[in-house]
Amino acid sequence: MADNVIRLRPVRPCPICGRPSSQLTHPFCSTRCADIDLNRWLSGAYVIPAATGEAADAAPSDDAGTDGDGD
């Protein structure tokens, strides 16, 4: 029966350790590597950089072009 199994996901290297990924824990090779990745997310190891204050100040504001008298 194992010969009839259709692989839905390609086998790729595990992003944590580099071993081939498992269908059960895709894209990781094991639950251990999945837990390591979850810990990295929860501890803040993966961070998306935010715009600095200078870049945010250079952006035009919503009320630019109005003279403030309400007309």
Side-chain angles (χ1 to χ4, degrees), residues 18-67:
R19 294 187 304 200
S21 62
S22 164
Q23 292 293 311
L24 182 62
T25 57
H26 189 76
F28 306 104
C29 65
S30 65
T31 55
R32 177 183 177 272
C33 285
D35 289 342
I36 290 171
D37 184 68
L38 178 62
N39 182 44
R40 289 179 183 174
W41 278 106
L42 295 177
S43 67
Y46 297 140
V47 178
I48 299 173
T52 62
E54 296 171 5
D57 294 338
S61 62
D62 291 338
D63 59 352
T66 60
D67 57 0

